[in-house]
Amino acid sequence: MSLSSPHVHVETAPLAAALAFATPSARRFLLELDLPMRHAGQRRLRVRGQWRGPADAPWVVVAGGISAGAKVASDERGEGWWPAQVGPGRAIDTDRRRVLAIDWIGADGSLDQPIDPADQADALAAVLDRFEVPRLSAFVGASYGAMVGLQFAARHGHRLDRLVAISGAHRPHPYASAWRTLQRQVVALGREEGQVSRALSLARQWAMLSYRTPEEFAARFDTPAVLDGERARVAAEDYLAHCGQRYAARWCSTAFLRLSESIDLQQLDPGGITVPTTVVAIAEDRLVPLSDLQALVESLGGPARLRVLRSPYGHDAFLKEDAAVARVLRESLEVAA
Amino acid sequence: MSLSSPHVHVETAPLAAALAFATPSARRFLLELDLPMRHAGQRRLRVRGQWRGPADAPWVVVAGGISAGAKVASDERGEGWWPAQVGPGRAIDTDRRRVLAIDWIGADGSLDQPIDPADQADALAAVLDRFEVPRLSAFVGASYGAMVGLQFAARHGHRLDRLVAISGAHRPHPYASAWRTLQRQVVALGREEGQVSRALSLARQWAMLSYRTPEEFAARFDTPAVLDGERARVAAEDYLAHCGQRYAARWCSTAFLRLSESIDLQQLDPGGITVPTTVVAIAEDRLVPLSDLQALVESLGGPARLRVLRSPYGHDAFLKEDAAVARVLRESLEVAA
């Protein structure tokens, strides 16, 4: 049986068994997929993911930033990346919906090739095929996940009821692309010189500046620089170093380089999307400016609306503004419940 | 004869002759000064500079960013950094004013110590002493030069008639400090690994992103990334690389590190400044936000006014918005002509 869209030809690997095993609250899987990738050609990929929620509930895909993965809700096995929004009784209610998420293609560092956001959308469609899920009641994506959600809506819209795209657009903003390419060049320098971890930490610290805002830094780090030996240390330095080191300990440079690059490969005609879409913008977002999300909403080919939130956390607001984000999610999803 | 202020004790080096020689339009000098530095202790420094303009004209100090120096106007010897504003008939008119500028302490890379913006102000005061200039009719500073101008007004205000401070404040913004400390860490990594030039180029490219705006990048670099071999190149990449390489070819890493750090050492109580001051802010400036310049104007101890310009060039507007900047300069300087 194949539920593949006519736009993408996904060959499932018949000899590779779908490895699915239960945990008390989530069902995890590891699939092998043969995927025709946009830039990297035909590839056999291993895709990890998990779902949770009742068997008869409508399916919802949840997707986050390039460093977010399949573990969305928190449970006894540890922290998910969006526990405030996904779980029993939450806005994305795992008592009433079956929530599916994957680790991004490339997140394990095994694929050193250009990865298009369209490839992630096709991988998700192939996963749905494998589990014989004909359609999704919703795709909720934030940041890179919103880019992938837009690709899913454009390429597999016939099997999607509703898209919620938070802080992600049909294109990367040219200034944000410049910011990311410099991060990648720092990592490239570190790789050549055997300083991968230090360079990856630096790149993550640069990324943090793009995820947050001057307003937050002004409130948190309003103390003068101090001389430490013969060098000045500025107030945000320890916080940033901590963020960088934690990231570098968990991620490999290939995954960072290819997923960062993937954001910059986003290209999409919003006119081809007819799925009802809610776009959520943060007025203070320095990475995905409101103006790009306004342009997106104005050019979508189907019913579309824009919700604008304000937050000192900028691009990271979807991870920090729990109440406001929950309100928008409930409001956007209730028609598709 | 000493015209030193009571706030700073500058010993002139009696055996070091003031080397001053004429060019057709500018008089250049190289002085040795003994300067009590705020963090680095007593130091003997060589200060290069130049002046131009009639002997009986009122003196004006002009000071720019950390990569700007004594060569302000353009002449047959090459390009200055502010030719649109300084020269015969320009807003800072070298037919009617004697314009003095120096290369920043640390710009030659010979001093690997923390340099405070107050040290630069004291060096300028010592230069004025050496040339027996009792007072300035104006100090016009932009970016770092505005920080130094504020220090001059605070420490040597009794010999200053008027300050014009463009895009520089009494403190570094905490977010901008974070941005700069990461630049310095990239250079530190490059120095340790024998990749100074490449790291310096990268740091300059990061700095360029802070000097400019997303609006400018959106207008100039609105084309998708292209795959170059197996890696994506974003639209702004060549432009940024060009800026970085040009900078790295002219500057040494020690100068960059110490002058970048110097910005982050700025600390000043605006209440102590009683000199009439015009503060010029750029609404789009990402490095020195309007809110900090509003706070500065509100806390200055003397007559103060704020002029706000709008520009897609952000922090770099003082180098790009020739007509608007000239208008503000003429208006601010005419009372002191």
Side-chain angles (χ1 to χ4, degrees):
Chain A
M1 170 184 190
S2 169
L3 294 164
S4 293
S5 104
H7 304 298
V8 57
H9 305 284
V10 178
E11 299 295 324
T12 56
L15 295 179
L19 249 163
F21 44 94
T23 69
S25 49
R27 192 165 169 88
R28 298 188 292 146
F29 59 83
L30 169 60
L31 298 179
E32 276 200 347
L33 302 173
D34 285 308
L35 202 72
M37 296 182 70
R38 187 174 269 186
H39 315 290
Q42 187 74 28
R43 297 274 164 175
R44 174 157 298 189
L45 302 170
R46 291 156 67 95
V47 177
R48 287 175 194 277
Q50 57 179 254
W51 74 66
R52 63 177 64 211
D56 55 350
W59 286 77
V60 175
V61 164
V62 172
I66 58 171
S67 55
K71 188 150 188 57
V72 180
S74 292
D75 60 21
E76 65 290 346
R77 299 176 65 94
E79 275 297 302
W81 62 266
W82 221 12
Q85 305 302 341
V86 181
R90 305 283 180 186
I92 302 172
D93 186 349
T94 50
D95 287 340
R96 294 166 56 227
R97 299 174 198 278
R98 181 165 268 203
V99 174
L100 172 78
I102 62 167
D103 288 342
W104 295 124
I105 298 172
D108 63 0
S110 65
L111 183 66
D112 195 8
Q113 292 287 328
I115 301 166
D116 198 281
D119 299 329
Q120 308 283 7
D122 291 352
L124 275 160
V127 168
L128 297 180
D129 286 348
R130 193 68 70 84
F131 293 121
E132 300 186 359
V133 179
R135 63 188 297 111
L136 297 174
S137 71
F139 191 121
V140 179
S143 189
Y144 183 61
M147 288 182 151
V148 173
L150 289 163
Q151 293 284 357
F152 190 94
R155 300 164 73 82
H156 310 281
H158 60 284
R159 58 200 296 189
L160 177 61
D161 291 335
R162 178 165 297 273
L163 171 65
V164 181
I166 306 171
S167 303
H170 52 300
R171 68 154 191 176
H173 190 279
Y175 184 86
S177 290
W179 199 304
R180 279 184 295 266
T181 198
L182 294 183
Q183 290 169 39
R184 297 195 290 273
Q185 289 177 46
V186 172
V187 172
L189 174 61
R191 292 227 290 198
E192 286 173 40
E193 301 298 333
Q195 290 270 17
V196 179
S197 171
R198 191 164 152 199
L200 204 51
S201 165
L202 272 174
R204 176 65 173 187
Q205 294 178 64
W206 281 115
M208 287 303 298
L209 289 189
S210 69
Y211 299 154
R212 300 301 179 86
T213 68
E215 291 73 21
E216 185 203 2
F217 274 61
R220 287 178 67 178
F221 304 113
D222 186 19
T223 51
V226 291
L227 286 173
D228 170 18
E230 288 188 342
R231 161 181 116 66
R233 292 183 68 83
V234 307
E237 203 159 323
D238 289 344
Y239 162 73
L240 287 171
H242 173 74
C243 294
Q245 283 156 12
R246 197 175 49 179
Y247 182 86
R250 290 186 301 126
W251 285 84
C252 80
S253 59
T254 303
F256 170 78
L257 290 171
R258 291 305 184 181
L259 287 170
S260 165
E261 177 186 68
S262 182
I263 300 170
D264 291 321
L265 292 172
Q266 173 81 331
Q267 243 189 297
L268 183 115
D269 172 17
I273 296 176
T274 55
V275 175
T277 299
T278 300
V279 174
V280 184
I282 312 300
E284 291 81 0
D285 192 334
R286 292 167 86 79
L287 211 46
V288 184
L290 175 56
S291 54
D292 270 11
L293 294 179
Q294 284 166 330
L296 167 62
V297 167
E298 283 164 19
S299 56
L300 282 166
R305 56 183 198 143
L306 176 66
R307 302 284 279 147
V308 181
L309 305 180
R310 297 207 57 123
S311 169
Y313 295 109
H315 187 73
D316 266 358
F318 70 97
L319 298 171
K320 307 286 278 183
E321 300 289 356
D322 295 343
V325 170
R327 270 195 303 276
V328 173
L329 288 177
R330 285 185 196 276
E331 175 194 294
S332 304
L333 294 175
E334 75 193 7
V335 291
Chain B
M1 169 187 190
S2 171
L3 294 164
S4 292
S5 105
H7 303 298
V8 57
H9 304 284
V10 177
E11 298 295 325
T12 55
L15 296 179
L19 248 164
F21 44 94
T23 71
S25 50
R27 192 166 170 89
R28 298 188 292 147
F29 59 83
L30 170 59
L31 298 179
E32 276 200 347
L33 302 174
D34 285 308
L35 202 72
M37 296 182 69
R38 187 174 269 185
H39 315 290
Q42 187 74 27
R43 297 274 164 176
R44 174 158 298 189
L45 301 170
R46 290 156 67 94
V47 177
R48 286 175 195 278
Q50 57 179 257
W51 74 68
R52 63 176 65 211
D56 55 348
W59 286 78
V60 175
V61 163
V62 172
I66 58 170
S67 55
K71 188 150 188 54
V72 180
S74 291
D75 60 20
E76 65 290 346
R77 299 176 66 96
E79 275 297 301
W81 61 267
W82 222 13
Q85 305 302 341
V86 181
R90 304 282 179 185
I92 301 173
D93 187 349
T94 50
D95 287 341
R96 293 166 57 226
R97 298 173 201 278
R98 181 165 268 202
V99 174
L100 172 79
I102 63 167
D103 288 342
W104 294 125
I105 298 173
D108 63 0
S110 65
L111 183 67
D112 196 8
Q113 292 287 328
I115 301 165
D116 198 281
D119 298 329
Q120 308 282 7
D122 291 351
L124 274 161
V127 168
L128 297 179
D129 286 347
R130 194 67 69 86
F131 292 122
E132 301 186 0
V133 179
R135 61 189 297 113
L136 298 173
S137 71
F139 190 122
V140 180
S143 190
Y144 183 60
M147 288 181 149
V148 173
L150 288 162
Q151 292 284 358
F152 191 94
R155 300 164 73 81
H156 309 280
H158 61 284
R159 57 200 295 190
L160 178 61
D161 291 336
R162 177 165 298 272
L163 171 65
V164 182
I166 306 171
S167 302
H170 53 299
R171 67 152 192 178
H173 190 279
Y175 185 86
S177 291
W179 201 316
R180 279 185 295 267
T181 198
L182 294 183
Q183 291 169 36
R184 298 196 288 273
Q185 288 177 45
V186 171
V187 172
L189 173 61
R191 292 227 290 198
E192 286 174 40
E193 300 299 334
Q195 291 270 17
V196 179
S197 171
R198 192 165 151 198
L200 204 51
S201 165
L202 271 174
R204 177 64 174 189
Q205 293 178 65
W206 281 115
M208 286 303 298
L209 290 188
S210 70
Y211 298 153
R212 300 302 179 86
T213 68
E215 291 72 22
E216 185 204 1
F217 273 61
R220 287 178 66 178
F221 304 112
D222 186 19
T223 51
V226 292
L227 286 173
D228 170 17
E230 288 187 342
R231 159 180 116 68
R233 292 183 69 81
V234 306
E237 203 160 323
D238 289 343
Y239 162 73
L240 287 171
H242 172 75
C243 294
Q245 284 155 14
R246 198 175 47 181
Y247 182 86
R250 291 186 301 126
W251 284 83
C252 80
S253 59
T254 303
F256 171 78
L257 290 171
R258 290 306 183 179
L259 287 170
S260 165
E261 176 186 71
S262 182
I263 300 170
D264 291 322
L265 292 172
Q266 173 80 333
Q267 245 189 297
L268 182 116
D269 171 17
I273 296 176
T274 55
V275 175
T277 299
T278 301
V279 173
V280 183
I282 313 300
E284 292 81 1
D285 192 334
R286 292 167 88 78
L287 212 45
V288 184
L290 176 56
S291 53
D292 271 11
L293 294 180
Q294 284 167 330
L296 167 62
V297 167
E298 284 164 18
S299 55
L300 281 166
R305 56 185 198 141
L306 176 67
R307 303 284 279 148
V308 182
L309 305 180
R310 296 207 57 120
S311 169
Y313 295 107
H315 188 73
D316 266 0
F318 71 97
L319 298 171
K320 307 285 280 182
E321 301 289 358
D322 295 342
V325 171
R327 268 194 304 276
V328 173
L329 288 177
R330 284 184 196 278
E331 175 193 295
S332 304
L333 294 175
E334 73 194 8
V335 291

